[in-house]
Amino acid sequence: MTGNVSAAPSTLHGTERVRLAVYNGFARTGRAPSVPELAALTGLAPDQVRQELRTLHASHDVVLDPQGNDHVVMAHPFASVPLGFSVMGARTLWWGGCAWDSFALPHLLRDEPDVLVATRCPACDTPHAWVVGRDAPPQGDQVAHFLTPMHRAWDDVVRTCGNQRLFCSTDCVDTWLRRTGQERGYVMDLGTLWRLARDWYSGRLDPGYTRRDPVSATAYFAEVGLHGSFWGLPD
């Protein structure tokens, strides 16, 4: 489905074997592999798998359920819980962790030239769907609103992702903000969202992937057209 083998190469260290098995499992099936499945895929004992998952959680490579550390809630851009988006490929259905991650999936999944991203406006419940591919942004006047500034994103990452949503318009954003008592975050059009998602996760399914450091992250944000302190950039 993704052009990646199901088992992580045994020559890699344990943490990377588990990381690859989690990500490729999500990519193939749309769900998080269990600890027994990860043990079978990596050749590691279940207790070692659990330890490697905790290491990956600490490095922000996965997000574990605080109520049960055996369960992977998120491995961006994949999610095992519904956070407002569904993403349908040719044969596989994924939960989109947020607007950003949902638009990122076709760029990461090598055998999916495009996907159908579906959601509802949080303000008025209007359904929306876009065919999102790798060549150009989808058409539409809808906007994305991100609530949490990037320097606070990992304070509660599930809440952060759950509040990166797509709205009918800025009017709907304003309605939702008044209803919820939240302060405005950052609003962008679909083209900017698509550019943000396009290369953010490049290489995440490959051995040796490393997360962007803060300097390269802010440079990427500026390159795709973002600005302001929300992203750690000048106004």
Side-chain angles (χ1 to χ4, degrees), residues 42-216:
T42 60
L44 302 174
D47 284 347
Q48 186 175 355
V49 169
R50 293 184 179 94
Q51 181 58 51
E52 302 298 359
L53 286 173
R54 288 192 288 271
T55 299
L56 290 166
H57 177 85
S59 64
H60 296 168
D61 285 292
V62 304
V63 179
L64 298 179
D65 186 342
Q67 303 304 315
N69 284 343
D70 281 6
H71 180 58
V72 178
V73 174
M74 302 185 77
H76 294 88
F78 303 108
S80 63
V81 294
L83 292 170
F85 293 87
S86 62
V87 182
M88 188 69 214
R91 296 179 179 85
T92 306
L93 177 67
W94 296 269
W95 291 124
C98 57
W100 185 350
D101 286 351
S102 298
F103 271 47
L105 280 171
H107 301 286
L108 187 65
L109 299 168
R110 297 165 184 170
D111 293 343
E112 297 284 357
D114 57 43
V115 297
L116 180 67
V117 175
T119 190
R120 292 177 182 267
C121 175
C124 68
D125 208 35
T126 297
H128 296 288
W130 305 265
V131 175
V132 182
R134 292 190 279 269
D135 295 334
Q139 297 297 310
D141 296 327
Q142 299 90 346
V143 298
H145 176 260
F146 286 24
L147 184 66
T148 306
M150 284 303 100
H151 73 279
R152 301 294 303 274
W154 284 92
D155 291 358
D156 183 344
V157 69
V158 175
R159 180 178 184 273
T160 295
C161 292
N163 285 284
Q164 294 179 353
R165 300 294 301 275
L166 280 156
F167 293 77
C168 300
S169 64
T170 55
D171 287 344
C172 274
V173 173
D174 292 338
T175 297
W176 181 81
L177 291 171
R178 287 193 300 271
R179 182 190 303 159
T180 60
Q182 305 284 357
E183 294 186 4
R184 179 182 284 258
Y186 192 94
V187 176
M188 69 186 80
D189 60 20
L190 295 183
T192 303
L193 176 65
W194 183 86
R195 290 192 299 274
L196 171 63
R198 179 174 54 191
D199 293 320
W200 180 251
Y201 294 116
S202 292
R204 187 155 283 198
L205 296 179
D206 300 325
Y209 172 86
T210 56
R211 293 169 51 82
R212 297 175 189 269
D213 60 41
V215 172
S216 63

Side-chain angles (χ1 to χ4, degrees), residues 23-41:
Y23 275 86
N24 286 307
F26 261 123
R28 288 193 318 278
T29 69
R31 64 175 183 84
S34 66
V35 167
E37 289 171 325
L38 291 171
L41 289 166

